[in-house]
Amino acid sequence: MHMLSDDRGHLSYDLAGDGPPVVLVHAGVADHRMWDAVVPALAERHTVIRYDLRGFGESAPPTGPFRETDDLRCLLNHLGHERVRLVGASWGGRVALDFTLTHPDRVHSLAIFAAPWPRYHWSADMIAYDEAETAALEAGDLDAAVRINLDMWLRGPARGWDDVTDGLADRLRGPLRTSLENQAIVGQHSQGPATGDLAAISVPTLVGVGKLDVADFQDIARRYAAEIPDAALVEFATAAHLIAMDAPTELSAVLGPFLAQ
């Protein structure tokens, strides 16, 4: 891993391959390693850039107010990339979308997978999940909070653990634990999602969601696909929330032609 340092700490990032640059932004329950299984295929034709958001993985927790979009802009400036193909999962999808809204001249194309919708009217199941996680964290039971999140985001509501690929929970547990340890300080200092008109997005856009994901995110994906001009919607039959981990071969097959545009 490489490091980009500033007066608020450092961001860790990884590079692979050669060609037009692609940036992969991880989910809020993971770190850059969630993309491990898709990087080899993408790196055959692209320079693949992965980084850990501030407070995730090997990147330092924030020490003051920050914007995820500013961090991404600084990383691209550091690497000398004027325009990139941008791919984001879950919270990383929202970061990618916000970056496109705030820096449209720096985005060649956009792909978002299971990205949240600001101020969405969450279902009772999502509210119950949030309450359970909050209760576990307030009780100091980080192990319980990890289990709650693994159940929600890796297993999902539509299958049992026997249907989840062996080893995925073990791969995710460490990154998830780090995200939960830093959740409060990240939430305290993050300046939140950008505001902007989705109808103003003019780059090629791909919206994806797992058919085994929480119903809220399937609804949100359809909403993004409807409101972003000419966006394409793709559903992954065997994936829950973390498509890059559940269905990396299928995701690579979709991203390859899209990123070649």
Side-chain angles (χ1 to χ4, degrees):
M1 293 289 286
H2 306 275
M3 285 189 183
L4 169 62
S5 298
D6 60 19
D7 57 1
R8 294 166 297 171
H10 70 267
L11 295 176
S12 294
Y13 66 93
D14 176 75
L15 304 173
D18 187 42
V22 175
V23 180
L24 307 179
V25 193
H26 65 79
V29 293
D31 62 21
H32 76 281
R33 289 172 287 180
M34 70 166 284
W35 302 105
D36 281 354
V38 304
V39 168
L42 298 183
E44 291 178 2
R45 296 185 178 181
H46 298 277
T47 298
V48 181
I49 303 159
R50 294 182 290 168
Y51 71 107
D52 289 332
L53 294 165
R54 201 174 290 270
F56 294 82
E58 298 181 35
S59 290
T63 57
F66 76 104
R67 291 188 184 279
E68 284 86 354
T69 52
D70 290 343
D71 285 343
L72 179 51
R73 176 177 52 82
C74 289
L75 177 60
L76 296 187
N77 290 346
H78 172 71
L79 295 174
H81 295 306
E82 189 62 32
R83 294 183 77 210
V84 297
R85 291 149 170 83
L86 201 48
V87 181
S90 192
W91 175 242
R94 189 63 221 187
V95 173
L97 184 60
D98 290 349
F99 189 85
T100 304
L101 290 169
T102 53
H103 303 287
D105 57 320
R106 305 203 65 169
V107 178
H108 177 89
S109 61
L110 172 68
I112 56 174
F113 299 96
W117 187 283
R119 295 172 296 280
Y120 185 77
H121 185 66
W122 297 108
S123 67
D125 287 344
M126 277 291 292
I127 293 170
Y129 147 77
D130 183 65
E131 291 175 344
E133 182 200 73
T134 299
L137 292 174
E138 288 180 349
D141 194 343
L142 196 58
D143 289 338
V146 168
R147 288 195 300 271
I148 289 164
N149 277 277
L150 287 173
D151 278 338
M152 191 70 173
W153 304 122
L154 183 57
R155 178 175 61 84
R159 61 183 178 180
W161 277 109
D162 288 345
D163 299 315
V164 179
T165 301
D166 289 344
L168 290 188
D170 290 336
R171 284 175 51 198
L172 189 60
R173 190 171 283 109
L176 175 53
R177 191 178 186 90
T178 298
S179 75
L180 289 169
E181 289 172 338
N182 294 327
Q183 185 179 89
I185 194 168
V186 170
Q188 175 187 345
H189 291 307
S190 173
Q191 299 303 289
T195 56
D197 183 7
L198 295 178
I201 295 176
S202 59
V203 298
T205 301
L206 178 69
V207 178
V209 69
K211 296 192 76 170
L212 305 179
D213 199 355
V214 179
D216 301 56
F217 280 91
Q218 297 186 51
D219 176 63
I220 290 170
R222 289 189 289 270
R223 186 180 297 192
Y224 276 130
E227 297 204 14
I228 298 174
D230 300 319
L233 175 66
V234 59
E235 296 176 316
F236 294 84
T238 62
H241 193 68
L242 301 174
I243 301 166
M245 299 185 74
D246 264 335
T249 301
E250 294 85 345
L251 180 58
S252 299
V254 169
L255 279 176
F258 176 73
L259 295 175
Q261 296 182 78

